[in-house]
Short mmCIF file of all heavy atoms in Angstrom, two decimals:
data_model
loop_
_atom_site.label_atom_id
_atom_site.label_comp_id
_atom_site.label_asym_id
_atom_site.label_seq_id
_atom_site.Cartn_x
_atom_site.Cartn_y
_atom_site.Cartn_z
N ASP A 338 -14.68 10.89 9.30
CA ASP A 338 -15.21 12.22 8.99
C ASP A 338 -16.73 12.18 9.07
O ASP A 338 -17.35 11.21 8.64
CB ASP A 338 -14.76 12.58 7.56
CG ASP A 338 -15.05 14.03 7.22
OD1 ASP A 338 -16.23 14.41 7.26
OD2 ASP A 338 -14.10 14.77 6.92
N LYS A 339 -17.31 13.27 9.62
CA LYS A 339 -18.76 13.23 9.85
C LYS A 339 -19.56 13.09 8.56
O LYS A 339 -20.73 12.72 8.58
CB LYS A 339 -19.24 14.44 10.66
CG LYS A 339 -18.99 15.81 10.06
CD LYS A 339 -19.52 16.89 11.00
CE LYS A 339 -19.25 18.30 10.51
NZ LYS A 339 -17.83 18.68 10.43
N LYS A 340 -18.93 13.36 7.42
CA LYS A 340 -19.66 13.27 6.15
C LYS A 340 -19.70 11.84 5.62
O LYS A 340 -20.38 11.56 4.65
CB LYS A 340 -19.01 14.16 5.10
CG LYS A 340 -19.10 15.64 5.46
CD LYS A 340 -18.58 16.52 4.36
CE LYS A 340 -18.59 17.97 4.78
NZ LYS A 340 -17.53 18.27 5.78
N ASN A 341 -18.96 10.93 6.28
CA ASN A 341 -18.85 9.58 5.73
C ASN A 341 -19.46 8.53 6.65
O ASN A 341 -19.67 8.77 7.83
CB ASN A 341 -17.38 9.25 5.47
CG ASN A 341 -16.78 10.21 4.47
OD1 ASN A 341 -17.42 10.56 3.49
ND2 ASN A 341 -15.59 10.69 4.75
N THR A 342 -19.72 7.36 6.07
CA THR A 342 -20.21 6.25 6.88
C THR A 342 -19.03 5.33 7.16
O THR A 342 -17.94 5.53 6.63
CB THR A 342 -21.28 5.44 6.12
OG1 THR A 342 -20.65 4.86 4.99
CG2 THR A 342 -22.43 6.34 5.66
N ARG A 343 -19.26 4.29 7.97
CA ARG A 343 -18.18 3.36 8.27
C ARG A 343 -17.77 2.55 7.04
O ARG A 343 -16.68 2.01 6.98
CB ARG A 343 -18.61 2.41 9.39
CG ARG A 343 -18.52 3.08 10.71
CD ARG A 343 -18.57 2.14 11.88
NE ARG A 343 -18.54 2.93 13.09
CZ ARG A 343 -17.44 3.48 13.59
NH1 ARG A 343 -16.29 3.32 13.00
NH2 ARG A 343 -17.49 4.21 14.68
N LYS A 344 -18.70 2.46 6.08
CA LYS A 344 -18.43 1.62 4.91
C LYS A 344 -17.83 2.40 3.75
O LYS A 344 -17.04 1.87 2.97
CB LYS A 344 -19.74 0.96 4.45
CG LYS A 344 -19.94 -0.39 5.12
CD LYS A 344 -21.26 -1.05 4.85
CE LYS A 344 -21.81 -0.92 3.46
NZ LYS A 344 -23.26 -0.92 3.46
N ASP A 345 -18.22 3.64 3.60
CA ASP A 345 -17.84 4.39 2.41
C ASP A 345 -17.22 5.73 2.73
O ASP A 345 -17.62 6.39 3.68
CB ASP A 345 -19.08 4.67 1.54
CG ASP A 345 -19.50 3.43 0.78
OD1 ASP A 345 -18.61 2.75 0.26
OD2 ASP A 345 -20.71 3.17 0.73
N ILE A 346 -16.28 6.13 1.90
CA ILE A 346 -15.74 7.49 2.00
C ILE A 346 -16.27 8.24 0.79
O ILE A 346 -16.11 7.79 -0.35
CB ILE A 346 -14.20 7.47 2.00
CG1 ILE A 346 -13.69 6.56 3.14
CG2 ILE A 346 -13.66 8.88 2.16
CD1 ILE A 346 -12.18 6.38 3.15
N ASN A 347 -16.92 9.36 1.08
CA ASN A 347 -17.58 10.11 0.02
C ASN A 347 -16.65 11.17 -0.57
O ASN A 347 -16.04 11.94 0.19
CB ASN A 347 -18.83 10.76 0.63
CG ASN A 347 -19.76 11.29 -0.41
OD1 ASN A 347 -19.42 12.23 -1.13
ND2 ASN A 347 -20.92 10.68 -0.53
N PHE A 348 -16.57 11.22 -1.88
CA PHE A 348 -15.72 12.20 -2.55
C PHE A 348 -16.52 13.05 -3.52
O PHE A 348 -17.44 12.55 -4.19
CB PHE A 348 -14.62 11.51 -3.36
CG PHE A 348 -13.51 10.93 -2.52
CD1 PHE A 348 -13.59 9.62 -2.08
CD2 PHE A 348 -12.42 11.70 -2.17
CE1 PHE A 348 -12.57 9.08 -1.31
CE2 PHE A 348 -11.40 11.17 -1.39
CZ PHE A 348 -11.47 9.86 -0.96
N THR A 349 -16.13 14.31 -3.61
CA THR A 349 -16.55 15.14 -4.73
C THR A 349 -15.37 15.17 -5.68
O THR A 349 -14.25 15.48 -5.27
CB THR A 349 -16.87 16.57 -4.24
OG1 THR A 349 -18.06 16.50 -3.45
CG2 THR A 349 -17.09 17.51 -5.42
N LEU A 350 -15.62 14.82 -6.94
CA LEU A 350 -14.52 14.76 -7.90
C LEU A 350 -14.79 15.68 -9.08
O LEU A 350 -15.91 16.20 -9.24
CB LEU A 350 -14.32 13.31 -8.36
CG LEU A 350 -13.98 12.30 -7.25
CD1 LEU A 350 -13.83 10.89 -7.82
CD2 LEU A 350 -12.71 12.68 -6.48
N LEU A 351 -13.78 15.87 -9.90
CA LEU A 351 -13.90 16.76 -11.06
C LEU A 351 -14.08 15.92 -12.34
O LEU A 351 -13.28 15.03 -12.60
CB LEU A 351 -12.65 17.62 -11.22
CG LEU A 351 -12.29 18.55 -10.06
CD1 LEU A 351 -11.00 19.32 -10.39
CD2 LEU A 351 -13.42 19.53 -9.77
N LYS A 352 -15.12 16.25 -13.10
CA LYS A 352 -15.26 15.64 -14.44
C LYS A 352 -14.35 16.38 -15.41
O LYS A 352 -13.86 15.84 -16.38
CB LYS A 352 -16.71 15.78 -14.92
CG LYS A 352 -17.60 14.66 -14.48
CD LYS A 352 -18.94 14.74 -15.17
CE LYS A 352 -19.06 13.72 -16.28
NZ LYS A 352 -18.90 12.35 -15.85
N ALA A 353 -14.21 17.69 -15.14
CA ALA A 353 -13.34 18.56 -15.93
C ALA A 353 -12.98 19.74 -15.03
O ALA A 353 -13.61 19.93 -13.97
CB ALA A 353 -14.10 19.07 -17.16
N LEU A 354 -12.00 20.53 -15.41
CA LEU A 354 -11.70 21.73 -14.63
C LEU A 354 -12.93 22.63 -14.72
O LEU A 354 -13.42 22.91 -15.82
CB LEU A 354 -10.46 22.45 -15.17
CG LEU A 354 -9.16 21.64 -15.15
CD1 LEU A 354 -7.98 22.47 -15.65
CD2 LEU A 354 -8.87 21.09 -13.76
N GLY A 355 -13.47 23.04 -13.58
CA GLY A 355 -14.67 23.89 -13.58
C GLY A 355 -15.96 23.10 -13.50
O GLY A 355 -17.04 23.67 -13.60
N HIS A 356 -15.87 21.78 -13.29
CA HIS A 356 -17.09 20.97 -13.25
C HIS A 356 -16.95 19.83 -12.24
O HIS A 356 -16.22 18.88 -12.47
CB HIS A 356 -17.38 20.41 -14.65
CG HIS A 356 -18.67 19.66 -14.74
ND1 HIS A 356 -19.57 19.80 -15.76
CD2 HIS A 356 -19.23 18.75 -13.91
CE1 HIS A 356 -20.62 19.03 -15.54
NE2 HIS A 356 -20.43 18.38 -14.43
N ALA A 357 -17.64 19.98 -11.09
CA ALA A 357 -17.54 18.94 -10.05
C ALA A 357 -18.76 18.04 -10.05
O ALA A 357 -19.85 18.46 -10.45
CB ALA A 357 -17.43 19.62 -8.69
N GLU A 358 -18.56 16.81 -9.59
CA GLU A 358 -19.69 15.90 -9.38
C GLU A 358 -19.55 15.24 -8.01
O GLU A 358 -18.44 14.88 -7.60
CB GLU A 358 -19.71 14.81 -10.46
CG GLU A 358 -20.30 15.36 -11.74
CD GLU A 358 -20.98 14.27 -12.56
OE1 GLU A 358 -20.66 13.09 -12.37
OE2 GLU A 358 -21.81 14.63 -13.40
#
Side-chain angles (χ1 to χ4, degrees):
D338 190 300
K339 60 180 177 295
K340 294 186 184 73
N341 299 320
T342 65
R343 281 195 183 283
K344 269 174 38 211
D345 283 318
I346 304 175
N347 193 293
F348 285 91
T349 291
L350 299 179
L351 300 179
K352 272 189 104 59
L354 299 183
H356 185 135
E358 281 209 339

